[in-house]
Amino acid sequence: MKAPCPAGPRPSSASASTWAGVVSAPAASGAAREKDTNGEVLWVWCYPSTTATLRNLLLRKCCLTDESKLLHPFVFGQYRRTWFYITTIEVPDSSVLIKVTHFSIVLTAKDFNPEKYAAFTRILCRMYLKHGSPVKMMESYIAVLTKGICQSEENGSFLSKDFDARKAYLAGSIKDIVSQFGMETVILHTALMLKKRIVVYHPKIEAVQEFTRTLPALVWHRQDWTILHSYVHLHADELEALQMCPGYIAGFVDLEVSNRSDLYDVFVNLADSEITIAPLAKEAMTMGKLHKEIGQLIVQSAEDPEKSDSQVIQRRQLLPRALPD
């Protein structure tokens, strides 16, 4: 097994579907990606190779370059059918990473499973904090890649099969969405059934991701989370990739997206609990008696304190199928 290499050309023998990297930042403002003490964010390590475009995107998603200096412990999203998962931590004074204030561990994969990759990146973070080198991380990364498991008494154990995809699909709360939007939830349901474009805004990325990851469950019979783009910037390359999708759920933290009616059929201002249908989509989204009945069934089921989120979803399966699958 080859030792991990510094930023630059990478071995091409590993699976192209998964990727691991460390970004760090200089110790003055904090980040591995690393943020060092001079406030610079450095791309420290990557295995296997990645494109410059994807690298730039991941640097953008990593909060180490965020001028607001808010620390986002874990974010995830999708770009051109590749999922990315980023865990960022602050480096304690006791760490061997003397000149590093913060760092991020990034994993890319082909599957949607935030809990799985959050758990694995936390283990990798502990290893990097202790050793200050990607070598130990690399060993665990290859072990998970080839065997689905890595074990360490001091840093924790990880077993891939403990993280079922179905559990990731059910991790969000339909009941919370209905609690916030009531009968207007049927607008979201209809938009999803018609494979429309839904844009969600909230200034906090954590709120955006929790809400958007739950929406595909409103059309549970499809079990399709590829429509989810939970963390999108108003960057030309990202918007170009997004607009290639026939229908999607896209999350933004920039309110400017509200002025981009070319990006959505339905706009959700999560912060203000408002749902807006774009003018050009109103005809297709016209609500009738059937939609009212569906909305009432969803609300009644979600408001039942004895029903779990999974039971609400199962009740949704009994709804009329007058809309296209």
Side-chain angles (χ1 to χ4, degrees):
M1 180 180 68
K2 295 182 179 179
C5 47
R10 302 289 181 273
S12 59
S13 57
S15 168
S17 66
T18 52
W19 168 89
V22 182
V23 188
S24 62
S29 54
R33 225 146 137 219
E34 288 175 358
K35 196 169 187 178
D36 63 25
T37 50
N38 298 316
E40 297 179 1
V41 176
L42 313 172
W43 190 273
V44 177
W45 168 76
C46 172
Y47 183 88
S49 60
T50 186
T51 65
T53 299
L54 181 57
R55 181 182 299 188
N56 289 335
L57 177 133
L58 295 172
L59 287 171
R60 200 157 52 240
K61 303 306 176 186
C62 173
C63 58
L64 300 180
T65 57
D66 190 343
E67 292 183 1
S68 69
K69 296 184 179 180
L70 290 175
L71 184 66
H72 305 301
F74 181 71
V75 297
F76 61 90
Q78 182 192 180
Y79 172 74
R80 298 185 186 273
R81 298 286 182 172
T82 293
W83 291 96
F84 58 84
Y85 303 92
I86 306 174
T87 291
T88 300
I89 67 171
E90 185 173 3
V91 177
D93 294 338
S94 59
S95 173
V96 297
L97 297 167
I98 300 174
K99 294 185 178 181
V100 176
T101 60
H102 303 75
F103 68 84
S104 297
I105 300 292
V106 183
L107 293 177
T108 65
K110 293 301 182 183
D111 60 319
F112 170 78
N113 202 321
E115 286 69 34
K116 171 183 176 180
Y117 293 104
F120 187 33
T121 51
R122 283 196 298 269
I123 290 175
L124 296 179
C125 282
R126 288 196 288 270
M127 291 180 175
Y128 194 61
L129 275 175
K130 180 177 180 180
H131 301 286
S133 165
V135 174
K136 289 292 183 181
M137 288 196 306
M138 186 64 178
E139 293 174 354
S140 295
Y141 172 72
I142 293 297
V144 170
L145 193 63
T146 57
K147 302 177 182 178
I149 185 173
C150 71
Q151 294 177 305
S152 170
E153 291 186 6
E154 54 185 349
N155 296 310
S157 299
F158 175 86
L159 187 61
S160 288
K161 68 179 183 180
D162 286 344
F163 298 91
D164 182 70
R166 183 183 170 90
K167 289 183 179 179
Y169 296 162
L170 291 169
S173 176
I174 290 288
K175 293 170 75 79
D176 286 349
I177 291 177
V178 176
S179 175
Q180 182 170 2
F181 290 101
M183 279 292 290
E184 285 196 314
T185 304
V186 76
I187 298 175
L188 301 173
H189 172 264
T190 303
L192 289 164
M193 289 294 289
L194 296 175
K195 299 183 179 179
K196 296 297 184 180
R197 303 166 301 161
I198 301 175
V199 162
V200 178
Y201 159 77
H202 193 283
K204 296 182 178 179
I205 185 57
E206 293 82 5
V208 170
Q209 299 201 134
E210 183 64 24
F211 184 86
T212 56
R213 71 170 297 175
T214 308
L215 289 182
L218 285 171
V219 283
W220 178 257
H221 60 288
R222 292 180 186 157
Q223 294 198 24
D224 181 13
W225 264 253
T226 64
I227 63 174
L228 175 61
H229 302 260
S230 60
Y231 191 11
V232 184
H233 282 85
L234 290 171
H235 185 277
D237 182 62
E238 292 186 50
L239 298 183
E240 178 186 351
L242 186 65
Q243 290 177 302
M244 291 175 64
C245 305
Y248 52 75
I249 301 162
F252 293 80
V253 294
D254 186 349
L255 185 55
E256 177 60 27
V257 71
S258 64
N259 298 319
R260 293 294 304 270
S261 57
D262 58 311
L263 295 177
Y264 61 82
D265 300 304
V266 173
F267 179 74
V268 181
N269 186 324
L270 195 56
D272 293 339
S273 298
E274 294 178 351
I275 297 178
T276 304
I277 300 174
L280 293 178
K282 285 187 176 180
E283 183 176 353
M285 293 284 294
T286 300
M287 300 292 163
K289 181 180 178 181
L290 173 63
H291 299 90
K292 183 177 180 180
E293 292 175 353
I294 291 174
Q296 289 173 337
L297 284 170
I298 293 175
V299 171
Q300 288 171 6
S301 182
E303 289 181 345
D304 187 338
E306 296 185 1
K307 280 189 170 64
S308 66
D309 279 288
S310 62
Q311 289 173 321
V312 172
I313 290 170
Q314 289 169 4
R315 178 69 183 275
R316 155 67 189 90
Q317 296 301 89
L318 302 177
L319 297 178
R321 288 290 184 85
L323 295 173
D325 284 346

